[in-house]
Amino acid sequence: MSRRKISSESFSSVGSDYLETSPEEEGECPLSRLCWNGSRSPPGPPEPSAAAAAGPTPAAAAATAATAGARRAQRRRRVNLDSLGESISRLTAPSPQMIQQTLKRTLQYYEHQFTGYRDVEKNFYNISNRCSYADHSNKEDIEDVSGILQCTANVLGLKFEEIQERFGEEFFNICFDENERVLRAVGGTLQDFFNGFDALLEHIRTSFGKQATLESPSFLCKELPEGNLMLHYFHPHHIVGFAMLGMIKAAGKKIYQLDVEVDQVANEKLCSDGANPGNCSGLTFLIKQCENTSITKNLPQGASQVPADLRISINTFCRAFPFHLMFDPHMTVLQLGEGLRKQLRCDTHKVLRFEDCFEIVSPKVNATFERVLLRLSTPFVIRTKPEASGTENKDKVMEVKGQMIHVSESNSILFLGSPCVDKLDELMGRGLHLSDIPIHDATRDVILVGEQAKAQDGLKKRMDKLKATLERTHQALEEEKKKTVDLLYSIFPGDVAQQLWQGQQVQARKFDDVTMLFSDIVGFTAICAQCTPMQVISMLNELYTRFDHQCGFLDIYKMRIGIHSGSVLAGVVGVRMPRYCLFGNNVTLASKFESGSHPRRINVSPTTYQLLKREESFTFIPRSREELPDNFPKEISGVCYFLEVRTGPKQPKPSLSSSRIKKVSYNIGTMFLRETSL
């Protein structure tokens, strides 16, 4: 089965030569099995025509209520710049899904007119199935929508313009149902409503970091002398331009309760760019008021329309609005505010031309009177030229953002603006002062807020710098604390050092079985007699440094040494300079065993020998009983020994540090304390 391109020429009076039919589609009910994503449900038997008159089913009523609730929730949306921009964007650049939904609602509006006519139902169903709108945006969109609506008009015997207008109304109604409060906030009149589009579209572009181009859509609604409105739509979206007739009527009725007549007039060759006026892309619509309605603003009673009655002088106006200017159709500057005159540094009576002093930054239009008239509803940004300011420094130029207003009394254009600065330095750099900004201008608040933010930023930087200094100081303090803790742990046992660090009182303890070691430097007294004090200190420092280094590798401490085991009492003595001291007769005995030893020998007491004699890696050389200290207890049998390390290969044997002996060792300066318990 072949499918031909949709176009108005391919339709017959009822569109039968365009429609596709198949045996399984005979008798299908219109729109009953439509799937608007490009597919449809399997065909089934037609529903009786009487069902349409029986009223909605409970499920359909519930669905309608849910839809109405969703619409009411959408209407309560908060009004802000983002919601305004989003709503206008939907009206001016609809998505394929929205166009698809509009087409569906348009066809559903006419569905009741052919219920019960079997042949028309079949043809209309085939039209509806062609409404699966593809996700593309080009010039063929309008041909597809126009072709489907033209076919529908032929089937129903209606005028194409009527269905086109209905399509535009449904298009606006979808946006209005979702954003009613937002759309009501755009303008107070129908003219202001369409003139407000450009500013909101500019906000959308600015939010995404874009600028208006020559092809950007634009709206301009002007009031005619007879009270009607002329709406110009430049660079229109294809679908939006197609729906504008119905959109204008729906907007007047829904928002402003106005019944208006809209006619599309021939293009007056008004163009928003300077390329080729003959190829201008734009649509023009004439909006007429119906009886008992007014679509234009009425002047207050008693207001004068004579320019001479304006009770303000030119000098006062130039001081009140320092950043304004007026120019005539020849682009000659007629009037200049004090702020712009100070920036340009020009004489009061000097004749200036717009293009010699200013350039238009946004929108992208040529600086001609006619082009500016076509963009009156668009925010303008103009920039002073460096050569006009008498300087080549581009930093001295100033951008002014504002609005162009057509002054019909003198056929001139008035520009009211404010400088685009947010810092006091930028203002001073352009030769201006804060007093040059009028009090009513919000730019003054922007500058002051910017200075406050600058001060807060400086304070934040100082706080961050102070915080970094505190963190470095805290880190250094933690390192010093670690050194102090390490020193305590090297002098005291672990639990004692922890108690001292926490400021707790350390209780004295009794150790029943402790091995004590005393060491001595042989001949130290004679060495000191032959050396100066500084030499003795240097010698001891180097000696103990080497000893500590070797002890770290070998885990030993040997010189003349005496070892004895027994019970002692241990505790901390002192507060300002605490010392961990051992008390008892066994401490004295350990010292005696050291003094009774020989150079480079380790003298072991009988009690220590009993603990080490099973260590096969050691060799003990017995000494006599007379070598024992005088106060050694008589009841303890045995003699003292010299400890020697056995030479030759070391046999791996289980040591005494097994389950039957518990050893806890503390390195206390030059004293080695080992607690053992059998």
Side-chain angles (χ1 to χ4, degrees):
M1 183 181 300
S2 63
R3 175 175 296 185
R4 289 184 290 172
K5 180 67 179 178
I6 303 176
S7 61
S8 57
E9 291 80 11
S10 61
F11 304 134
S12 64
S13 58
V14 294
S16 59
D17 61 335
Y18 163 73
L19 302 176
E20 297 177 1
T21 57
S22 57
E24 65 272 17
E25 293 174 349
E26 293 293 334
E28 277 291 331
C29 178
L31 298 176
S32 60
R33 289 174 174 81
L34 282 182
C35 180
W36 297 94
N37 291 323
S39 60
R40 62 188 175 191
S41 305
E47 298 178 1
S49 301
T57 62
T64 303
T67 303
R71 289 177 179 175
R72 285 192 298 270
Q74 289 287 343
R75 290 174 182 175
R76 292 192 295 268
R77 292 183 60 184
R78 299 184 62 180
V79 179
N80 51 42
L81 280 178
D82 292 334
S83 61
L84 282 170
E86 178 186 353
S87 303
I88 300 303
S89 178
R90 286 174 61 86
L91 280 175
T92 57
S95 63
Q97 292 78 12
M98 183 177 178
I99 301 174
Q100 191 179 85
Q101 185 181 3
T102 304
L103 200 56
K104 174 184 176 181
R105 290 179 56 164
T106 303
L107 296 180
Q108 287 178 337
Y109 178 81
Y110 295 101
E111 183 179 356
H112 68 282
Q113 298 188 17
F114 53 82
T115 302
Y117 297 91
R118 186 177 184 85
D119 293 338
V120 179
E121 288 180 3
K122 177 189 65 176
N123 292 336
F124 193 82
Y125 172 77
N126 287 283
I127 297 173
S128 302
N129 275 277
R130 298 187 182 277
C131 297
S132 56
Y133 199 80
D135 189 5
H136 58 84
S137 179
N138 50 42
K139 294 184 178 180
E140 294 182 358
D141 300 349
I142 182 63
E143 298 178 8
D144 294 342
V145 173
S146 176
I148 294 173
L149 295 181
Q150 180 67 65
C151 184
T152 305
N154 293 339
V155 170
L156 300 178
L158 301 175
K159 292 183 178 180
F160 174 74
E161 290 75 13
E162 178 183 346
I163 296 184
Q164 178 185 0
E165 186 176 305
R166 187 69 215 177
F167 177 85
E169 292 180 5
E170 294 294 345
F171 179 79
F172 181 84
N173 290 340
I174 292 175
C175 296
F176 185 79
D177 291 341
E178 296 178 355
N179 307 286
E180 177 180 345
R181 293 185 66 241
V182 177
L183 291 177
R184 288 186 184 276
V186 175
T189 63
L190 187 61
Q191 179 183 4
D192 295 338
F193 178 77
F194 287 105
N195 281 336
F197 280 20
D198 282 11
L200 295 174
L201 292 175
E202 180 66 19
H203 166 71
I204 297 175
R205 287 189 288 264
T206 305
S207 301
F208 290 95
K210 299 180 180 180
Q211 290 186 347
T213 62
L214 295 176
E215 291 77 21
S216 299
S218 177
F219 294 82
L220 176 61
C221 191
K222 299 187 298 184
E223 181 180 354
L224 300 179
E226 59 272 16
N228 298 329
L229 297 178
M230 183 72 74
L231 175 61
H232 300 285
Y233 182 15
F234 304 105
H235 303 288
H237 185 281
H238 303 295
I239 297 298
V240 178
F242 177 78
M244 277 301 295
L245 289 171
M247 280 181 58
I248 298 172
K249 283 190 174 182
K253 186 174 183 180
K254 288 280 187 179
I255 301 179
Y256 305 103
Q257 291 76 45
L258 297 175
D259 291 330
V260 297
E261 297 179 358
V262 184
D263 296 324
Q264 183 173 353
V265 299
N267 197 333
E268 300 177 355
K269 294 187 178 181
L270 295 176
C271 189
S272 60
D273 57 27
N276 187 354
N279 297 329
C280 178
S281 174
L283 301 175
T284 304
F285 301 91
L286 179 62
I287 306 175
K288 301 178 182 179
Q289 58 183 2
C290 298
E291 296 180 0
N292 300 326
T293 61
S294 178
I295 58 177
T296 59
K297 297 179 181 178
N298 295 323
L299 291 176
Q301 293 183 358
S304 174
Q305 298 184 4
V306 180
D309 294 339
L310 183 63
R311 299 180 180 180
I312 183 173
S313 65
I314 296 178
N315 292 333
T316 304
F317 191 88
C318 291
R319 289 195 304 268
F321 302 96
F323 298 97
H324 87 280
L325 63 92
M326 293 186 68
F327 53 90
D328 60 10
H330 301 289
M331 301 304 290
T332 301
V333 177
L334 304 176
Q335 190 169 303
L336 202 61
E338 293 295 334
L340 290 179
R341 187 176 297 277
K342 184 183 295 187
Q343 172 69 16
L344 295 175
R345 301 179 182 177
C346 60
D347 187 18
T348 307
H349 304 288
K350 183 179 179 180
V351 178
L352 302 175
R353 292 188 57 82
F354 183 91
E355 58 270 19
D356 296 335
C357 304
F358 305 97
E359 58 182 347
I360 298 178
V361 179
S362 176
K364 298 294 183 180
V365 296
N366 294 336
T368 62
F369 194 83
E370 292 77 12
R371 304 294 183 264
V372 174
L373 280 179
L374 297 179
R375 290 281 189 165
L376 291 181
S377 59
T378 304
F380 272 76
V381 177
I382 65 173
R383 178 191 298 147
T384 59
K385 292 185 177 181
E387 54 271 15
S389 303
T391 176
E392 296 298 330
N393 189 0
K394 293 185 178 180
D395 295 335
K396 297 294 184 180
V397 301
M398 181 173 60
E399 292 186 355
V400 183
K401 183 176 182 179
Q403 178 185 6
M404 296 286 185
I405 302 173
H406 182 229
V407 183
S408 58
E409 296 83 356
S410 59
N411 191 24
S412 59
I413 292 180
L414 168 66
F415 174 76
L416 291 176
S418 300
C420 299
V421 293
D422 55 2
K423 297 179 181 178
L424 193 58
D425 293 340
E426 296 180 3
L427 190 69
M428 298 290 293
R430 288 161 175 80
L432 300 175
H433 302 83
L434 190 61
S435 59
D436 294 327
I437 307 295
I439 298 177
H440 64 79
D441 197 334
T443 306
R444 176 186 286 257
D445 295 333
V446 171
I447 295 176
L448 295 178
V449 171
E451 291 299 318
Q452 182 181 3
K454 182 180 178 180
Q456 293 177 350
D457 184 63
L459 178 61
K460 181 178 180 298
K461 289 181 179 179
R462 292 194 296 270
M463 294 297 294
D464 292 341
K465 185 177 180 180
L466 180 59
K467 179 182 177 183
T469 303
L470 290 176
E471 289 178 351
R472 289 194 299 268
T473 306
H474 178 72
Q475 182 66 25
L477 179 61
E478 289 296 326
E479 293 177 358
E480 293 299 325
K481 287 170 59 178
K482 184 178 182 300
K483 292 179 181 179
T484 304
V485 172
D486 293 341
L487 181 60
L488 284 176
Y489 274 86
S490 66
I491 299 176
F492 300 99
D495 55 346
V496 175
Q498 184 70 23
Q499 292 176 1
L500 289 175
W501 176 253
Q502 295 177 355
Q504 301 176 1
Q505 185 177 2
V506 181
Q507 299 293 334
R509 295 178 56 188
K510 180 182 179 183
F511 297 92
D512 295 331
D513 200 353
V514 174
T515 299
M516 293 160 284
L517 180 148
F518 278 81
S519 63
D520 184 27
I521 299 176
V522 180
F524 180 72
T525 304
I527 293 173
C528 292
Q530 301 294 328
C531 300
T532 63
M534 292 302 298
Q535 289 175 336
V536 173
I537 293 176
S538 300
M539 179 198 68
L540 291 177
N541 181 51
E542 183 177 356
L543 182 64
Y544 278 100
T545 300
R546 294 185 179 184
F547 283 165
D548 292 339
H549 181 72
Q550 294 296 329
C551 290
F553 283 107
L554 304 177
D555 196 19
I556 61 172
Y557 209 104
K558 183 177 180 183
M559 292 160 38
R560 188 172 66 190
I561 295 175
I563 301 178
H564 174 61
S565 299
S567 61
V568 296
L569 183 67
V572 176
V573 177
V575 177
R576 293 178 61 86
M577 298 180 62
R579 296 174 179 84
Y580 193 70
C581 299
L582 304 180
F583 300 94
N585 185 49
N586 287 318
V587 178
T588 305
L589 290 176
S591 176
K592 295 294 183 180
F593 277 105
E594 180 270 325
S595 60
S597 180
H598 293 175
R600 302 184 65 83
R601 290 283 187 141
I602 301 176
N603 191 21
V604 180
S605 71
T607 55
T608 305
Y609 171 75
Q610 296 298 325
L611 296 174
L612 299 177
K613 65 181 181 179
R614 292 176 181 161
E615 286 288 338
E616 298 182 0
S617 59
F618 293 146
T619 300
F620 295 94
I621 301 176
R623 305 177 69 189
S624 64
R625 181 80 178 180
E626 288 75 13
E627 303 293 337
L628 294 175
D630 295 338
N631 58 345
F632 191 78
K634 303 296 183 181
E635 63 273 11
I636 299 178
S637 60
V639 297
C640 56
Y641 297 85
F642 280 138
L643 176 61
E644 297 287 344
V645 179
R646 177 174 296 176
T647 59
K650 187 176 180 180
Q651 301 295 330
K653 294 287 183 71
S655 65
L656 289 179
S657 58
S658 59
S659 60
R660 59 189 180 89
I661 293 183
K662 176 184 178 183
K663 298 181 180 179
V664 181
S665 301
Y666 308 110
N667 186 7
I668 310 175
T670 59
M671 183 181 297
F672 189 80
L673 172 65
R674 172 176 291 170
E675 177 184 358
T676 58
S677 60
L678 297 176

